[in-house]
């Protein structure tokens, strides 16, 4: 299994799909706060996932630093048609272990539109085709039927029930040799970090 070797990144990969843009911007902070403070969105997340606006400002900074240090992380998901932030999707280390998991969450008014599936498919394509990793995990509550349906749609297979993040979760896995990209529109744009993240976080509060 491939392990991550820290390497300072000089470019940030923005992903474009048919309806979405996956990227990070300073002005996304307020929408991220809505995601983390909405009880319905956070229903199946751990207590540690609930954060204040001030804590999220630090989280957004960490999003950027992790991208630069690891070459992967979370992206905010923007609907191209309206320019609205609809959620986030991306990768993080799985419960402080060497394995990596794909994670996503979307604002309620954008549920049932297929955005989670579209964003997750694009992230998997980035993971296997650009990052060239061997596998990726996913974990969710067995009661979170919407997320389970997304994991099924993107080709992930059930592994086991287990306890992570102080919760009972079901874990799923997809490996590179099982991954099957579809023919949906996908474009990656590499932007320099200095260009993408040259902002003052204080201005976003």
């Amino acid at each position: 299994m491939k392990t991550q070797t820290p390497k300072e990144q000089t470019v940030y990969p923005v992903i474009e799909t048919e309806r979405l843009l996956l990227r990070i911007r300073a002005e996304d902070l307020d929408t991220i706060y809505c995601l983390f403070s909405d009880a319905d969105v956070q229903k199946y997340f751990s207590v540690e996932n609930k954060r204040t606006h001030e804590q999220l400002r630090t989280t957004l900074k960490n999003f950027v630093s992790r991208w630069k240090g690891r070459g992967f992380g979370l992206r905010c998901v923007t609907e191209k048609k309206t320019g609205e932030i609809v959620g986030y999707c991306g990768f993080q280390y799985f419960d402080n272990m060497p394995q990596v998991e794909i994670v996503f969450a979307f604002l309620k008014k954008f549920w049932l539109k297929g955005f989670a599936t579209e964003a997750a498919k694009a992230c998997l394509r980035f993971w296997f085709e650009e990052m060239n990793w061997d596998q990726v995990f996913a974990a969710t509550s067995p009661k979170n039927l919407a997320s389970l349906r997304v994991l099924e749609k993107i080709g992930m297979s059930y592994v086991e029930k287990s306890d992570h993040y102080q919760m009972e979760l079901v874990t799923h896995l997809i490996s590179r040799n099982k991954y099957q990209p579809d023919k949906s529109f996908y474009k990656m744009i590499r932007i320099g970090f200095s260009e993408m993240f040259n902002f003052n976080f204080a201005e976003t509060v």
Side-chain angles (χ1 to χ4, degrees):
M1 181 176 63
K2 181 177 177 180
T3 57
Q4 175 68 16
T5 302
K7 182 179 180 181
E8 185 74 8
Q9 303 295 309
T10 58
V11 296
Y12 173 78
V14 176
I15 292 177
E16 181 181 358
T17 67
E18 181 181 354
R19 298 180 294 169
L20 307 171
L21 284 174
L22 284 70
R23 60 189 180 186
I24 305 173
R25 302 175 303 169
E27 53 264 41
D28 298 338
L29 180 61
D30 288 337
T31 304
I32 295 173
Y33 177 73
C34 291
L35 277 163
F36 278 82
S37 60
D38 188 298
D40 289 329
V41 174
Q42 295 295 319
K43 182 177 181 180
Y44 299 112
F45 287 88
S46 68
V47 174
E48 295 178 356
N49 207 52
K50 299 175 176 63
R51 305 169 196 176
T52 66
H53 197 283
E54 185 63 27
Q55 289 171 328
L56 282 173
R57 183 171 63 165
T58 300
T59 296
L60 190 58
K61 290 181 180 179
N62 289 338
F63 281 6
V64 177
S65 63
R66 287 167 185 166
W67 269 106
K68 294 184 71 174
R70 300 173 180 173
F72 67 87
L74 299 180
R75 294 179 172 95
C76 294
V77 181
T78 305
E79 185 183 17
K80 293 193 299 186
K81 182 179 179 180
T82 63
E84 290 186 82
I85 305 297
V86 300
Y88 67 79
C89 185
F91 302 99
Q92 64 185 20
Y93 282 113
F94 183 27
D95 201 11
N96 297 315
M97 298 189 298
Q99 293 87 354
V100 176
E101 64 173 332
I102 185 170
V103 295
F104 49 83
F106 288 78
L107 292 166
K108 281 187 294 185
K109 70 176 184 177
F110 299 109
W111 290 359
L112 302 177
K113 295 180 180 291
F115 287 155
T117 300
E118 185 173 332
K121 283 183 176 181
C123 283
L124 285 184
R125 187 165 178 175
F126 168 80
W127 191 248
F128 290 121
E129 296 183 7
E130 307 296 339
M131 295 295 291
N132 201 32
W133 278 59
D134 294 329
Q135 62 184 24
V136 66
F137 284 84
T140 190
S141 166
K143 298 178 182 179
N144 192 347
L145 301 182
S147 287
L148 290 172
R149 284 194 293 269
V150 172
L151 299 183
E152 181 180 354
K153 289 178 181 179
I154 65 176
M156 302 194 79
S157 299
Y158 172 82
V159 177
E160 62 182 358
K161 286 186 178 181
S162 57
D163 292 327
H164 291 285
Y165 304 111
Q166 302 178 4
M167 301 173 62
E168 181 186 54
L169 301 174
V170 288
T171 56
H172 289 68
L173 173 71
I174 186 170
S175 58
R176 185 166 42 167
N177 62 351
K178 297 289 186 180
Y179 166 69
Q180 295 291 330
D182 57 28
K183 296 182 179 180
S184 56
F185 176 74
Y186 170 92
K187 181 180 179 181
M188 193 176 68
I189 307 164
R190 298 182 185 275
I191 299 177
F193 272 98
S194 59
E195 176 186 350
M196 189 71 181
F197 302 114
N198 185 22
F199 50 68
N200 182 352
F201 280 96
E203 296 176 355
T204 67
V205 178

